[in-house]
Amino acid sequence: MATKGKSGGTGKKILNAERRTVRRNRDKDLLQTEILYQTIVDEHTDLIYRFRPDGILTFVNQAYCHYFEKKREQLIGSSFLIFVHPADRVLVKNHIALLNRKDGAASLEHRVQLANGEIRWQQLTGRAIYDQSDRVTEFQAMGRDVTKLIQTQKALQNSRDHYHSLISKMGNAFVLVRYIFDSDRNVKDCILVEANQAFEKISGLQMDQIIDKSVTTVFPGTEKFWFDQSGPVATTGKPTQFEQCSKLFDNYFEVVAYSPQKDYVAAVYTDI
């Protein structure tokens, strides 16, 4: 009996030793995984950071430190909101407050202010992190500098506004149409995309009666000649200029037509 008890005790010791070995190996693998993850995150070129619901930073990667010219120890424990432009802080706070498990990650573009006072744009993509009680404990975010993109978009919008201003103030009638073709690239119709006030005047129609509607619907009496003249411009891209009497408008026009892109034709009508 004593021998049996001794053998049983030895077996338990071996089993416990094996369990400890398994735990050590598991903890070692977990540590290696965490180190690998930390290395990947730290070397990521985007700004990766975590913060508590009150905005206090709990983690920043090297890119975040470099971008704001601060050491990691200077950033951890401070609020990420200090870098957000004062005029955008409420916007960012409201965005963070709306992050939830159901919607997942969500993005917002906002301004930040660098140490030298320079104002730049960032795209913030964040998600909420929950504990076992389904309470938000932290937020994880990724920041990306989108200043050049914002500047390009603004320049493009300014260019469009300038273009629309010029078109609307033209004394000559202007219209932009998108041609519709059949399978053999024969003209079927065209959609009115844009027109100016001068075109409204000669047509006798308001903009909401014209835009996004087909020419044959808006002007059912349109002569085939107009399609024959302008249709090739939409396919070849070669501009054309001609004079023609419009029975529909009871006017004689000089027309200059060109294609800003495939299947589109812009035309300027001068009453002669």
Side-chain angles (χ1 to χ4, degrees), residues 260-272:
Q261 66 183 84
K262 186 179 179 182
D263 295 346
Y264 284 77
V265 172
V268 178
Y269 298 81
T270 303
D271 187 344
I272 56 175

Side-chain angles (χ1 to χ4, degrees), residues 1 9 28 44 46 76 85 106 112 117 153 157 160 172 177 184 188 200 218-219 221 226 228-229 238 247 249 266-267:
M1 295 295 292
K28 182 179 179 182
H44 205 289
D46 289 328
I76 302 301
H85 192 281
V112 295
Q153 289 175 340
Q157 186 59 52
R160 286 174 177 168
N172 296 336
V177 298
D184 296 321
K188 292 177 59 179
E200 283 184 313
V218 179
F219 307 113
W226 297 99
D228 293 339
Q229 281 292 104
K238 295 180 179 180
K247 295 179 181 179
F249 297 141

Side-chain angles (χ1 to χ4, degrees), residues 57-265:
L57 290 163
T58 59
F59 170 81
V60 294
N61 70 344
Q62 190 59 40
Y64 191 98
C65 298
H66 179 75
Y67 188 85
F68 290 111
E69 300 181 11
K70 297 283 186 180
K71 293 182 180 180
R72 184 168 287 155
E73 54 267 27
Q74 293 177 296
L75 293 166
I76 302 301
S78 63
S79 175
F80 82 96
L81 291 169
I82 61 174
F83 299 113
V84 176
H85 192 281
D88 289 352
R89 285 176 186 170
V90 173
L91 179 68
V92 171
K93 287 180 179 179
N94 290 340
H95 176 75
I96 297 300
L98 293 175
L99 294 176
N100 58 71
R101 191 191 300 275
K102 179 181 177 181
D103 296 331
S107 298
L108 172 73
E109 292 173 351
H110 66 89
R111 290 166 294 177
V112 295
Q113 189 164 358
L114 304 186
N116 61 3
E118 181 184 0
I119 305 298
R120 299 191 67 81
W121 282 88
Q122 273 197 12
Q123 181 187 69
L124 181 158
T125 301
R127 67 168 62 246
I129 299 173
Y130 297 82
D131 62 14
Q132 294 180 346
S133 301
D134 206 35
R135 293 178 301 183
V136 176
T137 57
E138 278 188 317
F139 294 95
Q140 179 163 303
M142 182 175 70
R144 179 172 297 174
D145 192 300
V146 292
T147 305
K148 289 184 178 180
L149 175 62
I150 295 295
Q151 290 173 342
T152 301
Q153 289 175 340
K154 287 185 176 180
L156 181 59
Q157 186 59 52
N158 289 338
S159 177
R160 286 174 177 168
D161 291 343
H162 182 62
Y163 160 79
H164 288 299
S165 177
L166 289 175
I167 294 300
S168 65
K169 294 176 181 178
M170 283 177 59
N172 296 336
F174 170 89
V175 65
L176 175 67
V177 298
R178 175 175 58 83
Y179 271 81
I180 301 173
F181 302 89
D182 61 20
S183 58
D184 296 321
R185 294 294 290 178
N186 296 312
V187 176
K188 292 177 59 179
D189 205 340
C190 54
I191 303 298
L192 291 149
V193 178
E194 188 174 351
N196 66 354
Q197 294 177 357
F199 188 84
E200 283 184 313
K201 185 176 180 180
I202 67 169
S203 68
L205 299 174
Q206 298 298 312
M207 207 68 72
D208 59 355
Q209 297 174 288
I210 299 172
I211 303 305
D212 294 331
K213 295 179 175 60
S214 71
V215 168
T216 56
T217 298
V218 179
F219 307 113
T222 301
E223 300 100 326
K224 183 176 179 294
F225 173 86
W226 297 99
F227 292 109
D228 293 339
Q229 281 292 104
S230 299
V233 177
T235 56
T236 66
K238 295 180 179 180
T240 187
Q241 183 174 351
F242 58 91
E243 295 178 2
Q244 179 65 23
C245 178
S246 170
K247 295 179 181 179
L248 185 66
F249 297 141
D250 192 26
N251 284 82
Y252 199 79
F253 294 106
E254 178 187 56
V255 181
V256 177
Y258 64 95
S259 178
Q261 66 183 84
K262 186 179 179 182
D263 295 346
Y264 284 77
V265 172

